Amino acid sequence: MDWNRTKTILILTFLVFNIFLASDLYKKQTDISGLEQQNQVTLDEQLKDLNVTYDNDPSLQSKKMAFISGNVHYFTDKEEKILEENTSQDITLNGRKLISTLKKPFPISDPDAPSAYSIFLETYVYEGGKYQYFRKDSNDPNIVYFVETHEDKPLYSQDSGMVIVTLEDDKVVSYTQTYLNLKKIVKERKIDPISETIGLLVSQQDIRAYDKVEDVSIGYYTVTSEDERDTFVFVPTWRVVVENKKDDPPGLRYYYVNAIEKTVFSDSEENADDDTEEEEESNDEIVDPDSSTPQSSTGD
């Protein structure tokens, strides 16, 4: 038996087999890539057919995020004393809520610029650097909402991690605050790209003809029920703001899409504002922080 010849044949056989496997793997990867491109083209064609405008911002494509939990923070007399000693404000504590009236109103150079509030938040508000500008009240531009963040990503539709500022003549005169102690509870997971989220909303007819996608952002959302309201679990969530000038009456529509499990919830800014204003009217009654929880959306 010619062992050298047999060894050469075996080597050539393995080489041919490896080439076959590599070729098959490349073909499968090419097919998958082609399918992804085809799906994207299909979405683009759908949006074009519906006359829907949408800005696919590559900077929004966050690849991995973790689930987080938040425990309601109950403010202490010590925290109240520190704030009052270091700043010119009168503070009243109501359990989870801190209510402040500034002795000397704090001027805001440009009330429409989110960055203009940074110094106020960091100076006057407990852990103020962890909050970011969210929006103004739809009914009263002198009421401004700031939401708590985790790793610079906001908590959506959550009254238990919010600062509500009241302005007069472009000056902060008072604010109320709630705060959550946040932490990661599971390992980071890959989230859905925004294109899939837009495609889901189109398939469910939440995005319709002549809609304009006004804003897309990534953050955290919870649907924790009332009886669990001292502890919340937040999931990575896309927030999609849609407007249609042809609607009667016109207005913004808000969709919160679980970036891992593709669950869709819709929200109304007016409803959220009404709930918050009711909470501010009474210092003795704690309004359910989830009272403005959006309703699940499965399409029209």
Side-chain angles (χ1 to χ4, degrees), residues 136-189:
K136 289 188 174 183
D137 190 289
S138 61
N139 300 313
D140 185 350
N142 286 317
I143 297 177
V144 187
Y145 299 92
F146 299 84
V147 293
E148 195 174 339
T149 62
H150 176 73
E151 296 184 347
D152 295 325
K153 294 180 176 63
L155 308 184
Y156 296 129
S157 191
Q158 181 48 253
D159 292 343
S160 290
M162 182 177 288
V163 171
I164 305 169
V165 167
T166 300
L167 301 172
E168 285 184 8
D169 299 324
D170 296 343
K171 297 178 181 179
V172 177
V173 294
S174 64
Y175 70 89
T176 61
Q177 180 186 10
T178 51
Y179 181 75
L180 292 171
N181 298 300
L182 301 171
K183 64 179 180 179
K184 293 181 181 180
I185 54 175
V186 295
K187 292 182 179 179
E188 291 186 340
R189 296 174 60 181

Side-chain angles (χ1 to χ4, degrees), residues 14-290:
F14 280 115
L15 179 62
V16 171
F17 183 66
N18 287 334
I19 292 173
F20 169 76
L21 290 178
S23 175
D24 185 59
L25 177 61
Y26 175 78
K27 182 177 181 301
K28 288 181 179 179
Q29 290 178 333
T30 302
D31 290 343
I32 293 174
S33 176
L35 180 60
E36 290 176 347
Q37 292 180 4
Q38 181 179 356
N39 289 339
Q40 182 60 45
V41 169
T42 301
L43 174 60
D44 291 342
E45 289 177 348
Q46 284 181 296
L47 296 176
K48 184 177 181 180
D49 291 341
L50 293 170
N51 289 297
V52 170
T53 55
Y54 148 61
D55 181 18
N56 189 3
D57 185 353
S59 67
L60 290 173
Q61 305 303 327
S62 179
K63 294 182 179 180
K64 289 185 177 181
M65 290 174 64
F67 285 63
I68 62 174
S69 69
N71 293 321
V72 169
H73 182 81
Y74 288 86
F75 294 99
T76 65
D77 293 337
K78 181 179 179 181
E79 291 163 348
E80 175 188 5
K81 183 178 180 180
I82 291 174
L83 283 174
E84 287 186 328
E85 288 180 350
N86 295 334
T87 58
S88 181
Q89 57 181 319
D90 288 324
I91 294 175
T92 301
L93 300 183
N94 183 12
R96 69 182 65 195
K97 185 163 62 174
L98 183 152
I99 305 158
S100 170
T101 301
L102 274 62
K103 295 178 181 179
K104 183 179 179 181
F106 186 92
I108 301 297
S109 58
D110 183 359
D112 294 323
S115 60
Y117 297 88
S118 298
I119 295 177
F120 164 75
L121 290 171
E122 293 174 2
T123 304
Y124 283 81
V125 178
Y126 175 81
E127 296 287 1
K130 295 182 180 180
Y131 292 82
Q132 70 173 225
Y133 180 94
F134 189 48
R135 60 176 172 82
K136 289 188 174 183
D137 190 289
S138 61
N139 300 313
D140 185 350
N142 286 317
I143 297 177
V144 187
Y145 299 92
F146 299 84
V147 293
E148 195 174 339
T149 62
H150 176 73
E151 296 184 347
D152 295 325
K153 294 180 176 63
L155 308 184
Y156 296 129
S157 191
Q158 181 48 253
D159 292 343
S160 290
M162 182 177 288
V163 171
I164 305 169
V165 167
T166 300
L167 301 172
E168 285 184 8
D169 299 324
D170 296 343
K171 297 178 181 179
V172 177
V173 294
S174 64
Y175 70 89
T176 61
Q177 180 186 10
T178 51
Y179 181 75
L180 292 171
N181 298 300
L182 301 171
K183 64 179 180 179
K184 293 181 181 180
I185 54 175
V186 295
K187 292 182 179 179
E188 291 186 340
R189 296 174 60 181
K190 184 177 180 181
I191 66 171
D192 295 329
I194 185 56
S195 57
E196 288 188 16
T197 298
I198 297 296
L200 176 63
L201 293 174
V202 170
S203 69
Q204 293 192 168
Q205 299 181 19
D206 291 314
I207 292 180
R208 304 184 293 269
Y210 301 101
D211 275 346
K212 181 180 180 181
V213 178
E214 294 284 356
D215 184 64
V216 176
S217 59
I218 187 71
Y220 293 94
Y221 182 78
T222 181
V223 291
T224 305
S225 61
E226 180 179 356
D227 59 355
E228 300 170 318
R229 61 184 180 181
D230 276 351
T231 301
F232 301 87
V233 175
F234 296 87
V235 298
T237 300
W238 287 107
R239 178 178 183 263
V240 183
V241 184
V242 180
E243 184 177 27
N244 193 320
K245 299 294 185 181
K246 295 181 179 292
D247 284 348
D248 186 22
L252 299 176
R253 307 196 307 275
Y254 300 80
Y255 298 101
Y256 296 87
V257 184
N258 185 318
I260 294 176
E261 298 176 352
K262 295 183 173 63
T263 306
V264 181
F265 293 87
S266 60
D267 193 7
S268 163
E269 182 179 20
E270 287 76 18
N271 288 342
D273 289 345
D274 291 342
D275 288 336
T276 305
E277 288 165 7
E278 288 174 6
E279 180 180 2
E280 288 186 295
E281 288 175 0
S282 173
N283 293 337
D284 297 325
E285 181 180 356
I286 298 295
V287 176
D288 173 16
D290 230 14

